[in-house]
Amino acid sequence: MATKGKNTNDADQTNPSITDPSTKIEAIKNLIFGENIQEYNSEFDNIKNDILAKKQALENLIEEVRSELIQNIDNLSTDLNIRITELESNIENNLDDLNEKKVDRRQLGQLLINLGEKIGKE
């Protein structure tokens, strides 16, 4: 019996990694997952890479949309400024036309000349 105890101690001393916790974890993983652990790791890596690729694609799409929105806002701003300028010009023209129609300056001038001539004759 002493020999058996001695052999067990000798095995522990010659292979100290058996008592190492990380080795125990590896041994448990091998028991649970067996040979499939590499396949699982590969699948997880593939999924991780796929998620990262999709994340990058979404970030690129967001940047494209942001750029398009900024361009559209700039275009809209330019269009609005042009239209506002046109409206201001139209309003000024319409006001000038109203002033001319309201008081015909030529006709008023002619009337004043006629009135002045009449006053001068008398």
Side-chain angles (χ1 to χ4, degrees):
M1 286 240 160
T3 309
K4 280 187 181 180
K6 189 176 181 183
N7 286 343
T8 306
N9 272 344
D10 287 344
D12 286 346
Q13 290 174 356
T14 57
N15 194 357
S17 64
I18 292 176
T19 58
D20 185 19
S22 62
T23 305
K24 288 181 181 180
I25 292 172
E26 286 297 320
I28 291 171
K29 281 180 17 182
N30 284 335
L31 285 174
I32 293 173
F33 298 111
E35 296 176 4
N36 295 336
I37 191 71
Q38 292 297 332
E39 184 179 329
Y40 294 148
N41 285 337
S42 175
E43 287 181 31
F44 283 131
D45 287 342
N46 289 341
I47 291 171
K48 181 180 176 184
N49 291 336
D50 189 41
I51 289 171
L52 290 175
K54 288 181 179 177
K55 178 185 175 195
Q56 185 63 41
L58 283 174
E59 287 174 351
N60 291 341
L61 181 62
I62 288 170
E63 189 57 37
E64 285 178 31
V65 169
R66 179 179 293 133
S67 176
E68 286 180 24
L69 283 174
I70 289 171
Q71 183 64 38
N72 288 339
I73 289 170
D74 287 344
N75 291 342
L76 182 60
S77 176
T78 302
D79 287 348
L80 284 175
N81 287 334
I82 290 171
R83 288 179 187 220
I84 288 171
T85 303
E86 289 175 354
L87 284 174
E88 287 173 345
S89 176
N90 286 340
I91 288 173
E92 286 178 16
N93 290 338
N94 286 339
L95 284 175
D96 289 344
D97 288 347
L98 283 176
N99 284 336
E100 284 292 322
K101 288 179 183 176
K102 188 175 178 182
V103 176
D104 187 0
R105 293 181 185 188
R106 287 186 199 151
Q107 190 177 12
L108 180 60
Q110 189 62 42
L111 287 173
L112 288 174
I113 290 172
N114 289 342
L115 182 62
E117 286 175 355
K118 285 182 183 179
I119 291 175
K121 287 182 186 179
E122 291 184 14

